[in-house]
Amino acid sequence: MATFDSSTATIPETRQVPRHVAIIMDGNGRWARRRFLPRVAGHKRGVEVLRRVIKTCIEHGIEYLTVFAFSSENWRRPPEEVSFLMNLFVSALSEEVARLHENGIRLKVVGDLSRFEPRLRALIEDGERKTADNRRLTLTVAANYGGRWDILQASNRLAQEQPQKSGAWTEADLAPYLALAYAPEPDLFIRTGGEQRVSNFMIWQLAYTEFYFTDRLWPEFDARTLDAAIASYQKRERRFGRTSEQLREGADVLVPASASRQTHYA
Ligand code: IPE
Ligand code: IPE
Ligand code: MG
């Protein structure tokens, strides 16, 4: 059997606390509109909420947090909103990278970055380089990201680099080329804002992820919402194709989060 990390090829270890949480941060525009504010005020607030959620994830001992910041479809929005989001990304990176680094957080940005302006690309590169050796939490920001883009870019690179294997590729061949190859598959997927869809987010990696939908809008998301999502996750039975009886026979036991993990955030 393959030794790489894939829920469809091997049965992953299941822990009490999800190792990897993936979030679609949705509802910023509606939050602002309800307050008679411009939509972009919701995006601004959304960045502050993300800062707090990162802290809460560390306190829980979560190792990977992946957030959807801008989808490959979001270019369809009004140009003023797109340009506000790009500027917000620039200012958030300029202001936050030092703090992320101080707190032992590794920053990754996944997506088709070629469409971003050079200043933004440089900030992304610097942030990733500076924080590359940190392991307390890996924060991945998906920007101009789409799950289908990811599968296609990985397939194209594989075809280019290993043409001789054409026609007989396996999951293990493709996996290293996927944008999130460095992370285990998400254990828990959260979408705020009431929509119950995946919107082209991590469609490869979500194959066996537990889903949690909440009506709360992203700017209202707080530690209690995350606690509720984790509590719901802890009640799930992750069977990965097996039966409940097989699980009860003790094939897998829940492993508690590592007690040695440092969970303080400055
Ligand atoms: C999510 O909030 C943020 C981005 C897509 C950038 P929305 O902007 O989609 O907010 P709603 O869904 O319109 O309320
Ligand atoms: C998904 O939210 C993308 C992000 C949160 C960045 P959208 O609000 O754009 O999703 P749809 O288009 O309503 O599905
Ligand atoms: Mg939305």
Side-chain angles (χ1 to χ4, degrees), residues 197-208:
R197 56 180 174 245
V198 169
S199 301
N200 198 13
F201 187 43
M202 295 181 82
I203 49 180
W204 176 277
Q205 294 87 349
L206 293 174
Y208 259 111

Side-chain angles (χ1 to χ4, degrees), residues 33 52 54 107 161 203 264-265:
R33 280 287 177 227
R52 292 205 303 269
I54 292 168
L107 174 71
E161 291 180 26
I203 49 180
H264 171 75
Y265 182 93

Side-chain angles (χ1 to χ4, degrees), residues 26-27 30 77:
D26 197 17
R30 279 165 285 163
R77 294 194 175 195

Side-chain angles (χ1 to χ4, degrees), residues 128-150:
E128 287 190 331
R129 197 180 318 111
K130 187 166 186 201
T131 62
D133 295 329
N134 298 336
R135 286 295 179 274
R136 202 164 160 214
L137 174 79
T138 297
L139 168 68
T140 302
V141 178
N144 193 20
Y145 172 90
R148 290 188 180 177
W149 163 83
D150 191 15

Side-chain angles (χ1 to χ4, degrees), residues 48-63:
E48 291 159 29
V49 169
L50 177 57
R51 194 186 296 133
R52 292 205 303 269
V53 169
I54 292 168
K55 183 172 187 279
T56 314
C57 283
I58 288 182
E59 286 163 0
H60 277 287
I62 290 162
E63 293 171 56

Side-chain angles (χ1 to χ4, degrees), residues 45 81 90 109 122 154 171-172 194 210 215 241 250 252:
R45 172 73 173 227
E81 182 167 340
V90 167
V109 180
E171 272 194 45
E210 298 296 330
D215 288 339
D252 273 84

Side-chain angles (χ1 to χ4, degrees), residues 89-147:
F89 202 10
V90 167
S91 64
L93 281 168
S94 323
E95 286 163 26
E96 299 298 331
V97 166
R99 194 200 315 247
L100 294 176
H101 188 49
E102 275 164 30
N103 281 284
I105 298 164
R106 168 169 62 153
L107 174 71
K108 291 280 215 178
V109 180
V110 295
D112 180 2
L113 307 186
S114 65
R115 207 165 156 184
F116 292 149
E117 60 172 74
R119 183 170 61 131
L120 179 50
R121 291 216 303 267
L123 277 168
I124 292 170
E125 256 176 53
D126 286 353
E128 287 190 331
R129 197 180 318 111
K130 187 166 186 201
T131 62
D133 295 329
N134 298 336
R135 286 295 179 274
R136 202 164 160 214
L137 174 79
T138 297
L139 168 68
T140 302
V141 178
N144 193 20
Y145 172 90

Side-chain angles (χ1 to χ4, degrees), residues 239-265:
R239 290 192 287 276
F240 299 103
R242 295 162 297 173
T243 65
S244 295
E245 288 74 16
Q246 284 176 300
L247 289 177
R248 278 201 292 276
E249 279 155 20
D252 273 84
V253 183
L254 286 181
V255 178
S258 162
S260 62
R261 239 184 137 63
Q262 198 192 344
T263 56
H264 171 75
Y265 182 93

